[in-house]
Amino acid sequence: MQISMSRFQIKGDERGSLIALEQNKNIPFTIRRVYYIYGAKPDSIRGKHAHRALEQVLICMNGSCEIELDDGVTKTTVKLDRRDEGLYIGPGLWREMRHFSEDAVLMAVASQLYDEQDYIRDYQAFLAWREAAGECAGRPMP
Ligand code: T46
């Protein structure tokens, strides 16, 4: 599954802390968009879609939340609760975000502008797309 966690370098001094995010350095793609989610209801489930091509790094800037990722075969859940930690999510993974703390602020750094055509919002369509993509490539998707 094409996901990874990275810890960002904190530039800290007596005044506090600073983290810099730089495209093609600690963010492994060219940054085209940044958005953030806040005020998510604790019992809400967001996401429930996959992206055909989009790459993202998710950073929980405040509070905590959980990200469930699914490649059509395997599921894994990652808890985000540090502002110096980023979860890279490659293309082709179904994601659901849940268990938001009331103070959660989830920031996403994304490789593409917003494009609804890049979304697969139906789970059965996602499974079919994964299978077709795997067959085209002649090997399992990452
Ligand atoms: C993702 C997870 C982690 C825009 O107009 N521009 C944008 O850049 C985004 C991200 C959304 N929107 C609109 C589309 C919907 O009308 O905002 C509304 C809520 O979007 P959505 O239901 O897709 O939000 P989430 O929280 O389910 O998913 C979002 C991202 O869309 C998605 O790319 O991976 O966060």
Side-chain angles (χ1 to χ4, degrees):
M1 194 181 290
Q2 217 180 340
I3 60 171
S4 59
M5 287 295 285
S6 50
R7 200 56 81 79
F8 302 122
Q9 190 183 0
I10 302 171
K11 309 282 185 181
D13 59 29
E14 67 285 352
R15 297 169 298 170
S17 304
L18 183 153
I19 291 174
L21 304 177
E22 296 182 283
Q23 62 184 13
N24 301 315
K25 290 190 174 175
N26 56 358
I27 300 295
F29 48 75
T30 301
I31 299 169
R32 302 289 298 281
R33 179 167 52 112
V34 175
Y35 62 90
Y36 45 94
I37 294 165
Y38 60 95
K41 302 279 181 297
D43 57 354
S44 64
I45 302 177
R46 302 191 66 107
K48 294 191 173 185
H49 61 252
H51 285 282
R52 292 181 165 83
L54 188 76
E55 298 172 83
Q56 302 194 89
V57 172
L58 301 184
I59 304 160
C60 197
M61 304 300 288
N62 199 54
S64 63
C65 64
E66 288 180 11
I67 318 291
E68 184 181 282
L69 295 154
D70 175 355
D71 65 6
V73 179
T74 307
K75 288 184 186 179
T76 186
T77 300
V78 179
K79 182 171 183 175
L80 295 181
D81 59 3
R82 297 180 63 109
R83 59 196 76 179
D84 64 343
E85 203 166 66
L87 171 64
Y88 168 81
I89 306 176
L93 297 175
W94 189 263
R95 80 276 326 263
E96 298 188 2
M97 299 100 78
R98 61 184 88 215
H99 297 140
F100 288 89
S101 63
E102 284 191 359
D103 57 350
V105 180
L106 179 64
M107 185 174 81
V109 180
S111 65
Q112 300 292 335
L113 300 179
Y114 177 70
D115 176 10
E116 188 57 37
Q117 299 303 312
D118 189 60
Y119 285 70
I120 305 172
R121 292 192 182 270
D122 176 82
Y123 189 70
Q124 293 309 317
F126 163 68
L127 293 178
W129 178 81
R130 284 285 312 194
E131 203 170 308
E135 279 168 15
C136 284
R139 56 182 170 73
M141 287 181 70

